[in-house]
Amino acid sequence: LSGARVARILRVMRSPAALLVATLLASPLGAQPFTRSGGRPAADTTCGGCVDWLVPHAPVRLHANTWYVGSASLSALLVTSPAGHVLLDGGLPRSAPLILASIRAAGFDPRDVKVIVNSHAHFDHAGGIAALQAATGAEVVALPWSARVIRRGITRSDDPQAATHFDYPGVARVRTIRDGDTVRVGPLALVAHETPGHTPGGTTWTWRACEGADCVDMVYADSQSPISSPGFRYSSTPAAVTSFERGLARIAALPCGILVTPHPSAARLWERVAARDAGDAAPLRDATACRRYADDARAALAARLARERADTVRTSRVP
């Protein structure tokens, strides 16, 4: 099916089922295998655990020019303007056709995406960027650590999850920006905030979305879960803990109108959207959401460090 034909179908059938049908019909990527980081074959080369992350979701207008265009459990956001659009995150390699179909279903042309940015450079959020760049011609922009990973599609050894993540298609053209830089497309202005911890290159993005005089501070806060490959210890890498805590403080201090996260469940996005659609805007617009998100991550990090220290004590007592 042509892109125009898919778009016409989806305008009539704006449903997860329609997106899934369009994705399967239009996608040449459905059988792409994955490999473990560094080129080592995965135990399941079809990434069977990724199936849940490929369940489609109809596009959702969050506020004004900001749309959710990802799957049900992997976020991708589209920020639109007459001068072009910005896409945040690319999901899995096999997510690309789904995201493109969702952009069309929302009424936009993927060729108008001018810039693609990323939360963090793991395969489930950056894996589809190469295909999305090829389909849109967009410029890819990232902070230095993430830019190096995205160019190769292979995570670095200083990533806490390096030994358990899959490789993905590398992106040849990635422009490097610095912490605090603003990415502009026409009237759009998205600010990059370095928030490392989950990965060293973690990036939180903020912008203002306005519908008339109704302006909202949008925050796409990077994942902040302190998880790792077996053998990695946060307590043995104090610099990682310090940067993690610094990033959490930055997220907590952000002006926060609507919070979205790379895994929508981490911010209870669908429950909040359902409440909004039922007539209660308060759960979706929550000025305390960023602070609470950071507080929860800080508690998880403290619990992780406590477990590691307890394990060290137990090990030292073994005769």
Side-chain angles (χ1 to χ4, degrees):
L1 291 179
S2 69
R5 177 62 175 161
V6 169
R8 285 195 293 273
I9 292 171
L10 292 175
R11 287 191 188 101
V12 176
M13 300 173 59
R14 290 198 179 190
S15 68
L19 282 174
L20 179 58
V21 169
T23 298
L24 293 176
L25 289 173
S27 172
L29 303 177
Q32 274 199 349
F34 292 86
T35 56
R36 286 288 184 195
S37 182
R40 297 183 297 278
D44 177 1
T45 57
T46 61
C47 187
C50 297
V51 171
D52 290 344
W53 287 344
L54 289 165
V55 174
H57 196 288
V60 176
R61 190 181 187 211
L62 297 176
H63 180 71
N65 64 339
T66 300
W67 291 76
Y68 186 98
V69 293
S71 71
S73 51
L74 283 181
S75 297
L77 301 183
L78 185 72
V79 187
T80 67
S81 84
H85 316 319
V86 176
L87 179 65
L88 295 92
D89 272 350
L92 298 157
R94 286 175 286 167
S95 298
L98 185 153
I99 292 171
L100 294 169
S102 193
I103 291 171
R104 295 185 185 103
F108 302 100
D109 188 338
R111 292 172 297 181
D112 291 330
V113 174
K114 304 303 182 186
V115 173
I116 300 172
V117 300
N118 176 240
S119 58
H120 65 272
H122 284 162
F123 76 103
D124 49 339
H125 307 289
I129 290 178
L132 290 165
Q133 184 186 58
T136 63
E139 178 181 44
V140 176
V141 177
L143 294 181
W145 190 95
S146 291
R148 289 192 292 270
V149 174
I150 292 170
R151 287 188 189 108
R152 299 182 63 211
I154 301 173
T155 197
R156 290 159 51 103
S157 60
D158 53 345
D159 185 334
Q161 299 174 60
T164 52
H165 266 270
F166 294 99
D167 299 342
Y168 54 86
V171 179
R173 296 178 290 112
V174 183
R175 177 165 67 90
T176 300
I177 59 170
R178 296 176 298 177
D179 177 34
D181 280 355
T182 300
V183 174
R184 299 184 184 276
V185 173
L188 305 180
L190 284 73
V191 180
H193 307 267
E194 189 175 34
T195 50
H198 187 76
T199 69
T203 310
T204 290
W205 294 91
T206 60
W207 64 98
R208 294 270 282 173
C210 296
E211 187 163 14
D214 184 13
C215 292
V216 174
D217 291 301
M218 303 295 301
V219 179
Y220 188 50
D222 188 30
S223 299
Q224 297 299 311
S225 52
I227 58 178
S228 71
S229 306
F232 180 90
R233 294 174 61 85
Y234 279 95
S235 54
S236 300
T237 52
V241 174
T242 298
S243 62
F244 210 142
E245 292 172 339
R246 185 171 63 250
L248 292 174
R250 297 188 74 178
I251 290 173
L254 290 172
C256 196
I258 295 178
L259 170 68
V260 188
T261 51
H263 292 271
S265 59
R268 300 182 61 253
L269 178 64
W270 298 131
E271 293 88 342
R272 291 159 51 222
V273 167
R276 187 271 307 270
D277 292 347
D280 181 7
L284 185 59
R285 300 195 195 190
D286 183 356
T288 69
C290 292
R291 177 177 53 77
R292 289 187 287 103
Y293 180 64
D295 286 347
D296 289 347
R298 192 175 290 111
L301 178 60
R304 169 71 188 255
L305 291 169
R307 288 195 301 271
E308 289 181 2
R309 292 177 184 125
D311 287 343
T312 298
V313 170
R314 282 196 296 271
T315 302
S316 67
R317 289 175 177 172
V318 174

